[in-house]
């Protein structure tokens, strides 16, 4: 990513409070990538939202927020929802020790661009995830996503008929885009695959998310799986994890 002067634009990352040990580990990992600027730590979601507002007002928006499912007096899912409602361009990555699939589903509904189990996290995965969500992709570990999708398919908040009705007014091109979103492909990859411009791709992605009444790309893909649009009621998650694997 480069600015008008051709210089590399650093990704501005904000961390919502983790334990001191985890926070130091995240700082050490992020410091390995000279294209990432860790702008600081905040105690909870309220402070994070204020920091994002301040950065936007100064023309220095926060690109990625790292949070956990529980922090301060506001949980990470609620913080994600507040940030995404006001600043949809700010990506949120949820890092957690809690593998409870309910949190995964709630994070997806809130608009999280990724959900990583701390036990499985490596330096490479975290750095890849930060870049991926900024580029428009998604990041979730296969085990977490499989569990969440299976739960949502079995106990969906809406019936299959309702989801199908929601999906019925997608154009043929939007369905193509949605299928690639289900692979976790970034906007650039989708554009290259379909032979369309990046701006057109972004417009299609936004239309898909809006029409599916979703809060994020991953949420849209899950709704599509339940409606039977992506595969046979399954989501290919290889694009999310780097290895082709089906949830079915």
């Amino acid at each position: 990513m480069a600015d008008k002067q051709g210089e590399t634009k650093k990704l501005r990352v904000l961390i919502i409070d983790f334990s001191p040990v985890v926070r130091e580990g995240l700082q050490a990992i992020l410091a390995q990538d000279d294209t990432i600027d860790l702008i600081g730590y905040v105690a909870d979601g309220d402070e994070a939202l204020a920091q994002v507002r301040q950065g936007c007002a100064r023309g220095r928006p926060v690109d990625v927020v790292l949070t956990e499912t529980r922090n301060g007096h506001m949980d990470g899912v609620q913080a994600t929802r507040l940030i995404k409602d006001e600043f949809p361009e700010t990506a949120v990555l949820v890092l957690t020790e809690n593998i409870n699939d309910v949190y995964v589903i709630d994070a997806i509904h809130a608009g999280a661009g990724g959900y990583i189990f701390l036990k499985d996290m490596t330096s490479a995965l975290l750095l890849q995830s930060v870049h991926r969500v900024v580029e428009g992709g998604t990041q979730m570990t296969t085990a977490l996503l499989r569990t969440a999708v299976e739960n949502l398919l079995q106990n969906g908040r809406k019936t299959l008929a309702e989801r199908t009705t929601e999906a019925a007014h997608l154009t043929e091109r939007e369905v193509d885009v949605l299928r690639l979103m289900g692979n976790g492909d970034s906007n650039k990859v989708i554009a290259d695959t379909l032979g369309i411009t990046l701006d057109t791709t972004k417009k299609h992605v936004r239309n898909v998310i809006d029409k599916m009444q979703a809060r994020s790309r991953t949420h849209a893909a899950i709704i599509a799986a339940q409606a039977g649009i992506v595969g046979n009621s399954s989501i290919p998650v290889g694009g999310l994890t780097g290895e082709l694997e089906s949830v079915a």
Side-chain angles (χ1 to χ4, degrees), residues 1-231:
M1 185 181 300
D3 60 20
K4 293 181 180 179
Q5 286 72 43
E7 298 178 351
T8 300
K9 177 183 178 296
K10 289 193 174 184
L11 298 180
R12 290 168 52 78
V13 177
L14 177 68
I15 292 179
I16 301 180
D17 189 45
F18 287 87
S19 68
V21 172
V22 173
R23 189 166 62 240
E24 289 174 9
L26 293 176
Q27 181 180 12
I29 293 172
L30 295 175
Q32 297 174 20
D33 190 329
D34 58 10
T35 68
I36 292 176
D37 180 15
L38 177 57
I39 61 176
Y41 312 93
V42 292
D44 54 37
D46 287 327
E47 290 188 17
L49 186 58
Q51 187 87 354
V52 174
R53 284 173 178 161
Q54 185 180 72
C56 187
R58 294 179 176 179
R60 294 172 57 81
V62 176
D63 296 299
V64 182
V65 174
L66 301 182
T67 186
E68 57 183 339
T69 48
R70 297 291 175 186
N71 55 73
H73 65 275
M74 179 187 297
D75 68 52
V77 172
Q78 183 182 359
T80 299
R81 183 174 293 109
L82 288 176
I83 291 170
K84 295 297 290 185
D85 279 348
E86 190 168 340
F87 301 96
E89 297 304 314
T90 297
V92 180
L93 274 172
V94 179
L95 281 56
T96 184
E97 295 179 352
N98 193 334
I99 200 169
N100 189 331
D101 59 281
V102 172
Y103 286 116
V104 183
I105 295 170
D106 286 344
I108 292 169
H109 276 271
Y115 196 105
I116 303 173
F117 190 36
L118 283 171
K119 183 179 178 181
D120 297 333
M121 190 184 74
T122 63
S123 298
L125 176 61
L126 178 61
L127 296 176
Q128 175 195 49
S129 301
V130 169
H131 285 281
R132 191 175 185 85
V133 294
V134 171
E135 293 166 0
T138 53
Q139 183 68 57
M140 289 197 185
T141 59
T142 303
L144 281 174
L145 187 57
R146 181 191 298 111
T147 302
V149 172
E150 287 177 346
N151 180 288
L152 190 59
L153 292 179
Q154 294 172 11
N155 305 292
R157 301 183 182 187
K158 294 186 179 181
T159 67
L160 176 59
E162 288 173 325
R163 291 300 191 197
T164 303
T165 298
E166 289 176 359
H169 51 287
L170 292 177
T171 67
E172 183 177 349
R173 176 59 85 192
E174 287 167 350
V175 172
D176 291 338
V177 170
L178 177 56
R179 286 180 178 136
L180 294 173
M181 288 167 62
N183 290 333
D185 291 343
S186 68
N187 289 339
K188 184 178 185 306
V189 172
I190 293 174
D192 291 343
T193 301
L194 298 179
I196 57 180
T197 67
L198 187 57
D199 286 342
T200 299
T201 299
K202 290 178 180 179
K203 181 179 179 180
H204 284 317
V205 169
R206 175 46 54 191
N207 286 342
V208 167
I209 292 174
D210 289 344
K211 288 183 177 182
M212 299 296 287
Q213 298 181 23
R215 296 189 63 88
S216 70
R217 301 166 71 98
T218 306
H219 187 196
I222 287 177
I223 296 173
Q226 189 170 9
I229 290 177
V230 178

